Amino acid sequence: MQYDRPGKKVWRYLSPIIVYYCVVMLISFIGSMIITWQLMDHMPATTDTQSFITELMTASLEASVPIYLISGLAALPLLWRMLRRDMTMRRYTADRAALKKGTLIYCALAGILSCLSASILVTLSSVSQVSEGYSQATESVFSQPVILQFIAVGFVMPVVEEVMFRGLIYNRMKDYMKANLALVLSAALFGIYHGNLIQGVYGFVMGILMVFVYEKYQTLAAPVICHIGANLVTLILQLCNIRLDSYITALLIAAACLGLLYLVLHHIQKKIHIGVIPNPRYIDLFSGSSQNSSDASDGIYPPPRGTSPKPDNDVLPRKYTVDDYYPRPNEHDESKEE
């Protein structure tokens, strides 16, 4: 796939986000229509336009979390289908038999410790007081019923965001560039996605952490668990309204969290080794089903350029793979020498 045109590469990077936001816009439009209809039905006829607009904006802000929850649930099947389709285009997959599921607890610990340290540092720096976007984002979340906060922010959105950013965007970037560059770019995109400076910086750092655990465990469950751990801690801290009066105490707790986080990540680096094996679902380019030998045209893409397959009734039709359409550079060189 390294021979794709630049436009196609950019489209592959951004299409998961575009699909998601199209769903969000559709759900938001439907939600706005419902809210407007309810306001018009209940507000007095003498209400002036300015008051109506103010009430509409307030109601829309209060409905933001339910809208994102519904949007996430609606977009997840589409994103998951894109992910499964991508998996058929990769020659290797994780050796799931070597994964000990109990070790995923380290991912949760990493998410919890990173969130604790980040929350304390943000509070100590007082930057949250000067960031209007961050204040609006937190207000729209924490003004919702607690159960809705935990369902939407604690569980649903971490799954949606990890499928979108690590499962799709990061892996697609790795199709065209080195893993380190894909890590930085996907983390930066994850930060921009959050829409304000504080959450953007936090999202960038967390994006790097998510890729780290994803690559070590070779399963999307690792960053999902890490993400859920971080979000749940944020909600619990807000719900319990924990305050640290002493600056020194808060700083020491943040330092302790960072130290423990380093130990957890060091343990993951040293102890978790998940290899890869040939992907049994690796099939023809863009084909979502197995080949049918009884039908020569079923699931078989047009032959790549430079090939002229000869029909033979005694031999099954050739099943072209991704490597036939995107040969490696040394394969080009060998063909020229011959």
Side-chain angles (χ1 to χ4, degrees):
M1 285 177 281
Q2 60 268 35
Y3 297 102
D4 280 344
R5 295 184 299 274
K8 184 175 181 180
K9 294 179 182 179
V10 173
W11 169 251
R12 292 195 76 223
Y13 301 155
L14 299 181
S15 57
I17 298 178
I18 293 173
V19 168
Y20 172 70
Y21 273 114
C22 284
V23 174
V24 172
M25 290 175 63
L26 177 61
I27 301 300
S28 299
F29 175 76
I30 296 173
S32 297
M33 295 295 293
I34 295 174
I35 293 172
T36 302
W37 178 77
Q38 289 179 340
L39 287 177
M40 292 178 65
D41 188 49
H42 291 87
M43 293 187 71
T46 57
T47 304
D48 59 283
T49 304
Q50 185 62 39
S51 299
F52 180 80
I53 293 176
T54 302
E55 290 292 332
L56 179 61
M57 292 179 63
T58 302
S60 298
L61 182 63
E62 293 175 351
S64 59
V65 172
I67 286 175
Y68 274 98
L69 172 60
I70 297 172
S71 301
L73 292 173
L76 187 57
L78 302 176
L79 297 172
W80 189 258
R81 181 172 180 176
M82 295 169 69
L83 179 63
R84 290 178 62 86
R85 186 178 182 183
D86 280 8
M87 290 172 63
T88 64
M89 300 173 63
R90 297 191 171 95
R91 182 182 291 275
Y92 298 101
T93 188
D95 183 9
R96 300 295 172 81
L99 175 62
K100 296 180 181 179
K101 296 181 179 179
T103 60
L104 288 170
I105 188 65
Y106 299 121
C107 299
L109 289 175
I112 291 170
L113 292 170
S114 61
C115 179
L116 283 174
S117 55
S119 298
I120 294 173
L121 292 175
V122 167
T123 302
L124 292 177
S125 63
S126 300
V127 293
S128 60
Q129 299 177 4
V130 297
S131 176
E132 184 178 352
Y134 176 76
S135 300
Q136 290 179 349
T138 54
E139 181 183 354
S140 64
V141 172
F142 297 135
S143 62
Q144 304 296 319
V146 174
I147 186 63
L148 186 60
Q149 294 179 35
F150 276 84
I151 293 175
V153 180
F155 294 99
V156 174
M157 291 313 299
V159 175
V160 174
E161 290 174 357
E162 290 311 311
V163 171
M164 184 162 49
F165 283 96
R166 258 58 69 179
L168 288 168
I169 295 175
Y170 169 68
N171 278 319
R172 288 181 173 188
M173 285 182 172
K174 281 204 305 180
D175 289 337
Y176 305 107
M177 62 186 72
K178 293 182 178 180
N180 289 338
L181 182 57
L183 180 152
V184 174
L185 291 180
S186 63
L189 197 60
F190 186 56
I192 295 171
Y193 158 83
H194 284 82
N196 61 78
L197 180 60
I198 297 177
Q199 288 182 308
V201 174
Y202 176 71
F204 175 76
V205 175
M206 290 300 293
I208 294 176
L209 174 62
M210 304 298 183
V211 170
F212 172 76
V213 297
Y214 177 55
E215 287 290 1
K216 292 300 296 182
Y217 284 87
Q218 291 292 311
T219 175
L220 204 58
V224 167
I225 291 174
C226 184
H227 201 153
I228 289 175
N231 284 16
L232 287 179
V233 167
T234 302
L235 296 174
I236 292 172
L237 289 176
Q238 181 66 28
L239 179 64
C240 297
N241 196 24
I242 298 175
R243 295 289 184 269
L244 296 174
D245 297 329
S246 173
Y247 184 90
I248 300 299
T249 301
L251 195 60
L252 289 175
I253 294 175
C257 290
L258 289 173
L260 290 173
L261 176 62
Y262 170 79
L263 293 177
V264 170
L265 297 180
H266 182 73
H267 181 81
I268 293 174
Q269 175 68 22
K270 294 295 183 181
K271 299 298 183 180
I272 307 300
H273 302 287
I274 306 299
V276 293
I277 57 176
N279 184 5
R281 298 170 61 185
Y282 177 63
I283 57 177
D284 290 7
L285 186 65
F286 304 132
S287 174
S289 59
S290 60
Q291 300 295 338
N292 186 353
S293 60
S294 63
D295 186 355
S297 62
D298 181 25
I300 298 179
Y301 224 62
R305 294 180 180 179
T307 61
S308 54
K310 298 179 181 180
D312 189 344
N313 295 330
D314 297 330
V315 180
L316 293 176
R318 180 179 176 186
K319 301 176 182 178
Y320 296 105
T321 63
V322 174
D323 293 333
D324 294 308
Y325 293 88
Y326 303 100
R328 298 175 181 175
N330 60 352
E331 293 176 348
H332 279 299
D333 298 336
E334 292 174 1
S335 62
K336 290 180 181 178
E337 291 176 1
E338 293 177 357

